[in-house]
Amino acid sequence: MTQPSPRLTRAEQRRQTEESILAAARQLFAELGYERTTIRAVARTVGVDAGLVMHYFGTKDNLFSRAAELPAAELSGGGEEIVDVLLASLASRLDGEPVASLAVLRSMLTNTDAAERYRAAAEPQLSQITTAIPTEDAELRASLLSAIVHGVIIERYLLRLGRLADASPDQIIELLRPCFQTLATADMPPSTVRPASAD
Amino acid sequence: MTQPSPRLTRAEQRRQTEESILAAARQLFAELGYERTTIRAVARTVGVDAGLVMHYFGTKDNLFSRAAELPAAELSGGGEEIVDVLLASLASRLDGEPVASLAVLRSMLTNTDAAERYRAAAEPQLSQITTAIPTEDAELRASLLSAIVHGVIIERYLLRLGRLADASPDQIIELLRPCFQTLATADMPPSTVRPASAD
DNA sequence: TCCACTGTTCAACAACCGTAGAATGACCGG
DNA sequence: CCGGTCATTCTACGGTTGTTGAACAGTGGA
């Protein structure tokens, strides 16, 4: 051919291969979970040798760590209500297939130290939600909110149960909003409100 | 020893061994998921040879099927509100460690026909909830309720995230009640109610 | 041009898995 | 008391996995 040098320098080529491996790993981890994803399968998907994957990432655990790195979703929201922030975050995770999230979620349900890592990553988010709730049981309420988010994602993408699999994100969000409201702001329905007890 | 005959006849002995194997399998499947529990480990837990497990159950898949058989929770509730029935069901699943449920939930994320079986078992429950909801989007609402239940159980037992792991079932139930109410009966909080549009 | 570097492949190992079939030994009906 | 049945163990096979280290080949600076 006429090009004087290949389009990619050596370093670029390597970076690109690494990236491809990570993408394939993410995909497979999300589809199959940690155990059923083999290094050989990842390599085959990319079209390279399994030894190369080992050479770059050292170990399967390490490959998983790199593939499951979350962009550290910060739940950033300036003066907005926590409910809106949470719902927006959920909405974005309901759009398309959040491969990275699924890789983590699916694998942490079978792999113990994947769960450990995720727990560490989710802890700050949880306490962020907690501080935004003005009741004594704020911690529990925050955990419930988190559980609902996880439940919806798992049911939609992993369990594929019921109508959740093909519902539009907007519809889900709007149905969930009053639910989140009662959990986050502790305003009970009028009939259930208690006569302001101790202090 | 002095007992003239062993306490257990041959058939009893066998039945008891089978039962022990099933219990150990359930426990391990719940703790480790399908892939990481090995037949050898199940056998070692019971104190028998791996070949015996194979001899009784034929195949690992079959052992899992038997171990993960659910008592077909019927969601039975006569004239009660669907919300109460759902919450009662959740409460019972929140008491102690529902080993069978965990085995299924954890494993259905990696084992294909475990997922299929569970989906088949959950379908009637879903439509049962659906028929109890008087809105057009009843199906989606039912799915959301189901997702919340699953989310709470997964977060409590599998992810062990936040305060949900050690909260009392009653506290969880009571926090969830208004949430379920708004989803199941479609009565919006007063501030969000719409001015009765079409029809 | 030459040579070191490095991206990449090849071949192999040790461990472990599910599974199969022969062997063992105690129980129980006749 | 005897012979078969049956619960149980032993041994082994084929396959897959994570992992390793040697070998190969194209690149790029001197």
Side-chain angles (χ1 to χ4, degrees), chain B residues 48-63:
Chain B
V48 299
D49 188 86
L52 188 64
V53 179
M54 292 303 297
H55 188 48
Y56 284 168
F57 296 94
T59 180
K60 183 184 179 182
D61 261 322
N62 215 293
L63 171 64

Side-chain angles (χ1 to χ4, degrees), chain A residues 83-107:
Chain A
V83 171
D84 296 317
V85 177
L86 268 176
L87 286 175
S89 157
L90 176 60
S92 81
R93 293 226 258 168
L94 249 35
D95 236 348
E97 288 229 354
V99 192
S101 287
L102 288 189
V104 185
L105 267 184
R106 174 159 250 147
S107 298

Side-chain angles (χ1 to χ4, degrees), chain A:
Chain A
M1 306 302 175
T2 55
Q3 66 258 23
S5 76
R7 303 294 205 291
L8 299 90
T9 170
R10 200 110 127 180
E12 287 172 335
Q13 173 64 29
R14 154 143 196 179
R15 175 163 228 118
Q16 179 173 311
T17 303
E18 251 184 59
E19 207 77 25
S20 301
I21 292 176
L22 279 179
R26 242 187 306 267
Q27 181 72 36
L28 288 180
F29 280 132
E31 278 178 18
L32 307 174
Y34 183 84
E35 327 289 339
R36 313 232 306 183
T37 303
T38 81
I39 290 206
R40 284 172 159 90
V42 173
R44 200 179 320 124
T45 302
V46 186
V48 299
D49 187 87
L52 188 64
V53 178
M54 293 305 296
H55 188 48
Y56 284 169
F57 297 94
T59 181
K60 183 184 178 182
D61 261 321
N62 215 294
L63 171 64
F64 175 76
S65 296
R66 297 282 309 277
E69 272 171 2
L70 279 186
E74 248 304 311
L75 269 197
S76 62
E80 297 181 88
E81 287 290 341
I82 185 66
V83 171
D84 296 317
V85 177
L86 268 176
L87 286 175
S89 157
L90 176 60
S92 81
R93 293 226 258 168
L94 249 35
D95 236 348
E97 288 229 354
V99 192
S101 287
L102 288 189
V104 185
L105 267 184
R106 174 159 250 147
S107 298
M108 70 175 298
L109 295 171
T110 64
N111 185 274
T112 313
D113 53 300
E116 197 54 45
R117 194 165 27 246
Y118 184 76
R119 211 169 300 149
E123 205 68 52
Q125 282 198 19
L126 258 185
S127 59
Q128 187 178 348
I129 305 176
T130 301
T131 60
I133 301 181
T135 64
E136 282 183 31
D137 52 1
E139 270 187 314
L140 181 54
R141 285 168 182 270
S143 293
L144 280 174
L145 285 168
S146 159
I148 294 179
V149 170
H150 285 139
V152 169
I153 293 179
I154 288 177
E155 189 120 343
R156 180 182 176 92
Y157 293 112
L158 266 32
L159 271 49
R160 290 180 214 282
L161 227 62
R163 287 262 70 74
L164 216 46
D166 48 30
S168 87
D170 285 348
Q171 202 177 358
I172 296 174
I173 297 297
E174 287 317 312
L175 277 176
L176 243 28
R177 184 181 302 277
C179 206
F180 276 38
Q181 207 84 40
T182 64
L183 272 177
T185 64
D187 61 347
M188 291 284 168
S191 56
T192 325
V193 78
R194 287 184 297 205
S197 59
D199 159 53

Side-chain angles (χ1 to χ4, degrees), chain A residues 35 109 146 150 155 179, chain B residues 36 106 109 146 150 155 179:
Chain A
E35 327 289 339
L109 295 171
S146 159
H150 285 139
E155 189 120 343
C179 206
Chain B
R36 311 235 304 184
R106 178 161 249 149
L109 296 167
S146 159
H150 285 140
E155 189 120 344
C179 207

